[in-house]
Amino acid sequence: MLPTDPTKKISFTRCIKEGDLVIVYERHDCMKAVKVCQNSAFQNRFGAFKHSDWIGKPFGSMVFSNKGGFVYLLAPTPELWTLVLSHRTQILYIADISFVIMYLELVPGCLVLESGTGSGSLTTSLARAVAPTGHVYTFDFHEQRAASAREDFERTGVSSFVTVGVRDIQGQGFPDEFSGLADSIFLDLPQPWLAIPSAKKMLKQDGILCSFSPCIEQVQRSCESLRLNFTGKESCI
Ligand SMILES: C[S@@+](CC[C@H](N)C(=O)[O-])C[C@H]1O[C@@H](n2cnc3c(N)ncnc32)[C@H](O)[C@@H]1O
């Protein structure tokens, strides 16, 4: 999926238009996200590429510079976006993202709660997994980070499937309006154990919680909280 058309339909074939975000692919280790503007040019060591030549071409096209050099214009899929996004925080990469999406059993229509949003690397994949009928509500207590993530979701075409909230999830928990409604919850927080009682309240009866922590001490404290808050029949990762 991605980009989406205005009717929220998943589309692989839409042609590039003014204002689109494209991933300019030079090599597997040299890619850049570029916004298409009729009067602009993309410059690299192979020459100048006029954006006006890109408009109307399908995503995936090879385009040429004034010197005969070439690049590919790829759609900003979550896999590629994760490789080119600006890192405002530590991010999840494809291997962990795949694991999370699979074990959260995400399918179109799911309602997902996430915190923190960070750089939105995981959120973009969560959004694709639940589109076109589901929704991701993601929360970060850092206002600027939340605003930048919102802008990125607009640029990558997933904004209709994601709502970004500014909230201290460790201190306040998730908003009460989601009580009993979440199919899945994902936590990537410094003290996730503080958010686990709220997560328990938000989950549907057979909902799934996944908490991601780089340190074993964080995992131990989270496990203690999971044991206290869950009966053992629910699924936690
Ligand atoms: C490691 S980043 C998340 C990265 C994200 N998973 C990604 O793939 O881009 C952790 C985020 O949690 C946020 N955070 C930390 N404490 C928080 C809290 N109490 N409530 C909400 N967000 C919090 C931070 O601002 C930071 O953006």
Side-chain angles (χ1 to χ4, degrees):
M1 187 199 87
L2 288 183
T4 50
D5 71 19
T7 60
K8 287 192 175 184
K9 271 205 181 137
I10 289 166
S11 163
F12 289 98
T13 52
R14 190 168 70 65
C15 290
I16 295 165
K17 57 179 174 41
E18 167 87 12
D20 274 346
L21 184 74
V22 297
I23 308 291
V24 177
Y25 177 100
E26 223 176 272
R27 285 192 325 234
H28 75 280
D29 57 351
C30 189
M31 287 182 252
K32 201 170 174 210
V34 175
K35 186 177 171 184
V36 178
C37 304
Q38 174 79 33
N39 299 320
S40 300
F42 171 79
Q43 196 90 34
N44 70 7
R45 64 208 155 107
F46 301 119
F49 298 78
K50 286 195 285 177
H51 289 199
S52 53
D53 292 342
W54 302 357
I55 293 171
K57 292 214 162 60
F59 282 101
S61 296
M62 180 193 248
V63 290
F64 295 90
S65 73
N66 57 341
K67 293 183 185 164
F70 66 88
V71 293
Y72 293 94
L73 304 177
L74 305 182
T77 61
E79 292 82 2
L80 293 176
W81 181 245
T82 291
L83 300 174
V84 299
L85 61 77
S86 70
H87 287 212
R88 299 175 288 268
T89 61
Q90 297 269 35
I91 66 163
L92 262 71
Y93 291 95
I94 291 172
D96 291 321
I97 291 173
S98 314
F99 185 90
V100 169
I101 300 276
M102 195 169 200
Y103 276 89
L104 286 181
E105 297 180 9
L106 294 185
V107 290
C110 281
L111 188 152
V112 183
L113 300 180
E114 180 197 28
S115 186
T117 312
S119 306
S121 173
L122 175 70
T123 320
T124 311
S125 286
L126 295 175
R128 181 178 62 179
V130 304
T133 46
H135 205 87
V136 180
Y137 296 88
T138 182
F139 299 90
D140 204 294
F141 71 173
H142 193 290
E143 228 165 280
Q144 184 51 52
R145 233 168 252 161
S148 302
R150 244 179 244 122
E151 282 169 24
D152 281 354
F153 300 145
E154 280 290 337
R155 295 168 74 209
T156 51
V158 295
S159 59
S160 38
F161 314 114
V162 183
T163 302
V164 186
V166 177
R167 189 173 172 97
D168 174 1
I169 294 297
Q170 291 180 175
Q172 302 171 272
F174 290 99
D176 273 341
E177 66 193 89
F178 297 112
S179 282
L181 295 181
D183 294 290
S184 308
I185 300 183
F186 180 81
L187 304 176
D188 183 358
L189 290 167
Q191 297 173 295
W193 54 91
L194 297 177
I196 286 173
S198 163
K200 161 74 182 166
K201 207 170 133 197
M202 301 300 136
L203 280 174
K204 284 181 179 169
Q205 203 182 355
D206 55 353
I208 303 176
L209 168 65
C210 174
S211 183
F212 181 91
S213 296
C215 302
I216 192 64
E217 291 81 4
Q218 290 171 305
V219 175
Q220 283 170 331
R221 292 204 59 175
S222 298
C223 285
E224 282 165 22
S225 177
L226 287 170
R227 271 192 287 272
L228 277 175
N229 287 281
F230 289 82
T231 61
K233 284 194 177 146
E234 295 97 339
S235 184
C236 299
I237 311 165

